[in-house]
């Protein structure tokens, strides 16, 4: 498949050049994904998607246009090339645009990104896997009234980038995800929880663990109460860290947002913006990492970038545009939604270096506090203000988890949150975009009612 | 179109499934993002392909195909049907699809189709608004304006005999401004999205969108972070729409019933709020972003009275949910594109008007906070909780609006919140949005009048 994509790409670059592009870049992708869905504890549906398409970036002077199409047919690609050149011509020139990236001599070797067993997985085997997760979830809930939603999805895909600047790269990756989401109904109460795993390799998926853990979590959520608000410590477990830090901090060190003055982090390279306990690395070459890749979405080699060392900001996340604008080395963090978009900036594997202690240890150290297992909230990226609903969480008293909480919000500015992380645990897990342990925020405003 | 759809459906039925349907889509989009007066991103796309489903004894299978030839469609129809057959022995709930069939061809007439408007004119509009926002005040440090249009034609057919052609045309413009005063930085955004052609981008409100956005950003420089606590809250029309959408609309999507995944499961026909409360979802409104004549399964749409006089009355149905629950089909199945299965979704969702004057409602509130505009919101119907955030608001003291506050969040329980609504005003406004569910984004619209909720937790710093 990759050879075929490269050949189509070479041709498309020439088409864009013939139509007037001074530089052109073609991103092609072809993916197959397969999923099995469970509703009310039994299999409900299966779907198979084969998605192939092509996106073309054309440059004329300092003007850039982009167009894509959801096929790989020659006449559709010709139309996309024409549209991308037309858009470049109609654009207002960007004085900071220098060039599309050029080919590099060396690219890293990143192992563990492709699993043949995922490519050849049959629908029967997929159904079997998800049923194992559901059966494990059921076993924990025996005797209760419940309904389990679950899904197994696998995908495999090839992508290629070809450009007029000498880039001609391709790779193949796979991934597998399983989740279970049990809802429990009791007299006068209903609650739910979920658990999941994501990996590049099918063998890393443990459906029994996912099912069992999700049901145990759901049982723990029964009996939610409001609490007396006030200022208190908050423990964020890896899922909550992924939203708050993975979304709310990785997004703030996106160089494009910083350059435009839209981020609460600004001109801070070399300053201590976080607690000394906090070390963060963005590792695009982590073996088998869900966010790992040999090259980024513009064909720039992946790398390991130190972000925070002892709380000191070492680097922002860059793509070729922002790196050229700041005249510094590109960190290879260009990201795009497959062929259907222009490169923006995103973290690869955003990793918090583990400290010491299990989650139980962290809980035992608090006299009073909130354990936040999950939230859907991100901060206002300009002011840093965060007001997060505790989607799943617990009240801690005298070093013990007392009861689940409901209608409870945690409020804190991100600049304070980063400074107040006085404890980092060792309960590291991979959540898809992050590899992180739990962290403890020394104090935040808790509102409940 | 008809013959392609027939090729896939016939092939699927021949394999042995009980039901099959097809969506063939052809969509063109343009997206232009200007920042500080220069073109940051300019994108065009064409989505074309078909999504095919098959059902046997309660087992669904879905697949999609971009090879729009008779043989390509036949092949996909067969493989989808085989996938359904392979799964059906493991299915617990057996059901079939029943329901009315529809045949129609609706052509949407607009004054200025997007295809007839030059890229230069679209870039020019975005630049005008972006420049306007930046020129508003010297404290505006960054502007970002995005113009987006989508023209779409969709053909839906199924094995029961439905065959419907529909068209849609959705323009949207969004302007975000960042204001800076020393270390104090604030951002605000305003957006307008409707149904129609490019002429809808030449209206008075669109022409002043840049100013509106910058005005709010500058005002926010003198706001303070909200203080957390349990408060009486007055929602403005836009935020009320978000409340109706997040706190209630999602929980009314009928696919939650067979899945046992909503706290409203046992509440149909029962009282969920005060008698003065009426919540509706209406895809038949003229010229709105959430309007469509037929849904993505080819069912004719009608207004849904979700809550009527305080009673949960109607749900949002797909073919499957209406068949399984034995309730009337109402055209709420939507899909992001041909690449996805249609599922029950909202359209234009709102609270109906009440009888309070807005001024009276504020004057009647001794102490509280008024919440305006929205940043985002989300909900978890299984657990019965929701949360949404206003972009700004004003403290209410002794019945008067006072200090401006920002980023005010409100969390609550789906089953409690409606009962706490005790004042609904006479005014009405709606705002365009985009709603996500199961990984699918669809354009929508929500709103209502000003309304008051008593004693809800409001988050703060």
């Amino acid at each position: 498949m990759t050879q075929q994509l490269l050949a189509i790409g070479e041709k498309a670059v020439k088409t864009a050049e013939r139509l007037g592009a001074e530089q052109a870049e073609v991103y092609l992708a072809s993916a197959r994904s397969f999923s099995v869905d469970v509703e009310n504890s039994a299999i409900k549906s299966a779907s198979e998607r084969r998605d192939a398409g092509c996106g073309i970036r054309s440059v004329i002077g300092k003007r850039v246009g982009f167009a894509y199409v959801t096929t790989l047919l020659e006449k559709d690609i010709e139309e996309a090339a024409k549209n991308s050149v037309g858009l470049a011509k109609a654009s207002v020139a960007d004085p900071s645009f220098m060039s599309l990236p050029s080919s590099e001599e060396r690219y890293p070797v990143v192992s563990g990104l492709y699993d043949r067993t995922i490519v050849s997985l049959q629908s029967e085997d997929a159904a079997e896997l998800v049923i194992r997760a559901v059966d494990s979830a059921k076993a924990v809930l025996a005797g209760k009234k419940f309904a389990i939603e679950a899904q197994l999805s696998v995908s495999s895909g090839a992508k290629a980038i070809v450009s007029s600047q000498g880039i001609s790269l391709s790779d193949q990756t796979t991934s597998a995800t399983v989740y279970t989401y049990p809802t429990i109904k009791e007299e006068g109460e209903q609650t739910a929880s979920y658990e999941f795993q994501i990996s590049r390799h099918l063998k890393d998926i443990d459906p029994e663990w996912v099912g069992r853990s999700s049901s145990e979590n759901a049982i723990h959520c029964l009996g939610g109460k409001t609490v007396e608000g006030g200022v208190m410590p908050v423990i964020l477990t890896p899922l909550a860290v992924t939203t708050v830090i993975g979304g709310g901090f990785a997004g703030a060190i996106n160089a494009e947002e910083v350059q435009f003055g839209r981020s609460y982090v600004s001109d801070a390279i070399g300053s201590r913006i976080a607690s000394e306990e906090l070390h963060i690395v963005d590792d695009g070459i982590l073996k088998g990492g869900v966010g790992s890749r040999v090259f980024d979405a513009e064909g720039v080699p992946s790398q390991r970038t130190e972000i925070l060392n002892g709380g000191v900001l070492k680097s922002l996340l860059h793509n070729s545009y922002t790196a050229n604008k700041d005249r510094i080395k590109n960190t290879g963090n260009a990201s795009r939604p497959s062929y259907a978009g222009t490169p923006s900036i995103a973290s690869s594997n955003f990793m918090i270096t583990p400290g010491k202690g299990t989650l139980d240890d962290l809980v035992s150290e608090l006299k009073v506090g909130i354990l936040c297992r999950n939230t859907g909230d991100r901060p206002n990226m300009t002011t840093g203000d965060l007001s997060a609903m505790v989607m799943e969480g617990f009240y801690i008293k005298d070093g013990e988890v007392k009861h689940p909480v409901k209608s409870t919000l945690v409020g804190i500015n991100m600049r304070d949150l980063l400074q107040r992380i006085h404890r980092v645990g060792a309960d590291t897990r991979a959540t898809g975009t992050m590899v992180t342990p739990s962290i403890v925020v020394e104090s935040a405003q808790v509102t409940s009612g | 179109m008809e013959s392609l759809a027939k090729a896939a459906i016939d092939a699927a039925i021949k394999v042995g499934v009980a039901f099959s349907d097809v969506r063939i889509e052809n969509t063109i989009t343009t997206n232009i993002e200007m920042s500080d007066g220069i073109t940051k991103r300019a994108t065009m796309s064409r989505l074309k392909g078909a999504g095919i489903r098959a059902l046997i004894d309660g087992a669904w299978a879905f697949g999609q195909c971009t090879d729009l030839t008779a043989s390509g469609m036949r092949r996909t129809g067969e493989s989808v049907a085989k996938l359904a057959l392979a799964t059906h022995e493991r299915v617990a709930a057996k059901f079939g699809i029943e329901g009315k069939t529809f045949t129609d061809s609706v052509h949407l007439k607009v004054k200025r189709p997007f295809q007839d408007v030059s890229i230069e004119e679209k870039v020019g509009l975005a630049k005008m608004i972006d420049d306007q926002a930046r020129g508003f005040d010297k404290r505006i440090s960054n502007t970002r304006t995005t113009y987006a249009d989508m023209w779409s034609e969709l053909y839906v057919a199924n094995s029961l005999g439905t065959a419907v052609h529909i068209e849609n045309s959705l323009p949207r413009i969004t302007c975000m401004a960042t204001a800076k005063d020393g270390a104090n930085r604030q951002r605000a955004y305003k957006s307008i999205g409707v149904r129609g052609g490019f002429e809808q981008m030449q209206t008075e409100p669109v022409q002043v969108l840049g100013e509106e956005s910058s005005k709010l950003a500058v005002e926010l420089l003198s706001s303070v972070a909200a203080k957390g606590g349990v408060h009486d809250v007055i929602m403005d029309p836009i935020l009320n729409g978000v409340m109706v959408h997040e706190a209630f609309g999602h929980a009314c999507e009928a696919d939650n019933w067979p899945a046992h995944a909503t706290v409203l499961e046992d509440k149909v026909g029962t009282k969920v709020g005060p008698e003065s409360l009426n919540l509706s979802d209406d895809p038949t409104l003229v010229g709105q972003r959430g309007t469509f004549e037929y849904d993505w399964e080819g069912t004719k749409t009608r207004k849904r009275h979700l809550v009527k006089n305080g009673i949960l009355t109607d749900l949002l149905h797909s073919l499957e949910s209406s068949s399984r629950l034995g309730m009337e089909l109402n055209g709420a199945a939507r899909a992001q594109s041909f690449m996805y299965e249609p599922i029950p979704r909202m359209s234009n969702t709102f609270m109906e008007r009440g009888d309070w004057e807005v001024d009276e409602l504020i004057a009647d509130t001794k102490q509280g906070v008024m919440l305006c505009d929205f940043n985002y919101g989300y909900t978890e119907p299984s657990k019965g909780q929701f949360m949404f955030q206003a972009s700004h608001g004003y403290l209410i003291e002794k019945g008067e609006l006072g200090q401006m506050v920002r980023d005010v969040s409100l969390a609550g329980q789906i089953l409690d919140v409606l009962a706490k609504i005790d004042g609904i005003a006479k005014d009405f406004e709606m705002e365009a949005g985009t709603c996500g569910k199961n990984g699918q984004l669809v354009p929508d619209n929500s709103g209502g009048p000003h309304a008051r909720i008593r004693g809800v937790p409001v988050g703060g710093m």
Side-chain angles (χ1 to χ4, degrees), chain B residues 309-365:
Chain B
N309 303 328
I311 308 225
L312 176 58
T313 310
D314 235 350
L315 305 178
L316 299 165
H317 283 294
S318 61
L319 278 171
E320 180 192 332
S321 72
S322 92
S323 299
R324 292 179 76 177
L325 298 176
M327 291 174 79
E328 191 196 327
L329 202 53
N330 54 24
R334 302 181 70 182
Q336 176 176 319
S337 74
F338 72 90
M339 297 187 193
Y340 299 88
E341 297 99 321
I343 49 175
R345 302 297 292 264
M346 285 172 265
S347 60
N348 305 301
T349 316
F350 53 92
M351 184 182 289
E352 306 268 0
R353 294 164 207 263
D355 50 12
W356 284 74
E357 295 292 342
V358 178
D359 294 351
E360 283 174 12
L361 200 55
I362 296 168
D364 187 66
T365 307

Side-chain angles (χ1 to χ4, degrees), chain A residues 138-256:
Chain A
K138 276 182 180 172
V140 176
L141 299 174
K144 296 196 181 311
K145 204 173 159 197
F146 63 86
I148 298 161
E149 183 187 306
Q151 185 186 61
L152 172 100
S153 63
V154 293
S155 72
S156 54
K159 67 168 186 287
I161 307 179
V162 182
S163 82
S164 58
Q165 308 312 103
I167 287 177
S168 179
L169 296 163
S170 64
D171 74 356
Q172 294 188 78
T173 54
T174 52
S175 76
T177 311
V178 66
Y179 80 81
T180 50
Y181 183 77
T183 298
I184 307 179
K185 288 168 192 286
E186 301 245 294
E187 194 55 41
E189 189 183 4
Q190 178 167 328
T191 195
S193 182
Y194 90 112
E195 192 48 90
F196 75 103
Q197 275 185 332
I198 177 167
S199 176
R200 297 271 185 201
H201 291 264
L202 202 58
K203 69 170 169 39
D204 295 341
I205 300 286
D206 181 349
E208 281 79 15
W209 178 84
V210 170
R212 191 173 61 241
S213 307
S214 67
S215 289
E216 286 167 1
N217 292 341
I219 287 173
H220 292 148
C221 288
L222 285 167
K225 293 184 221 167
T226 57
V227 296
E228 196 173 327
V231 175
M232 62 186 81
V234 175
I235 301 176
L236 302 174
T237 67
L239 292 189
V241 173
T242 298
T243 313
V244 173
I245 302 289
F249 178 61
I253 53 162
N254 171 331
E256 183 176 323

Side-chain angles (χ1 to χ4, degrees), chain B residues 202-260:
Chain B
Q202 294 168 310
T203 59
E204 173 67 19
V206 171
Q207 301 304 308
V208 298
L209 193 76
E211 273 178 31
E212 291 288 322
S213 171
S214 288
K215 186 163 164 263
L216 181 56
V218 168
E219 282 171 7
L220 279 166
L221 286 172
S222 27
S223 66
V224 296
K227 201 163 179 276
V230 175
H231 296 295
D232 292 345
V233 163
I234 296 178
M235 304 174 291
D236 83 343
I238 294 169
L239 201 75
N240 188 3
V242 176
M243 192 282 296
V244 173
H245 180 106
E246 296 297 349
F248 213 74
H250 276 296
C252 293
E253 291 162 341
D255 49 343
N256 286 320
W257 266 256
H260 303 290

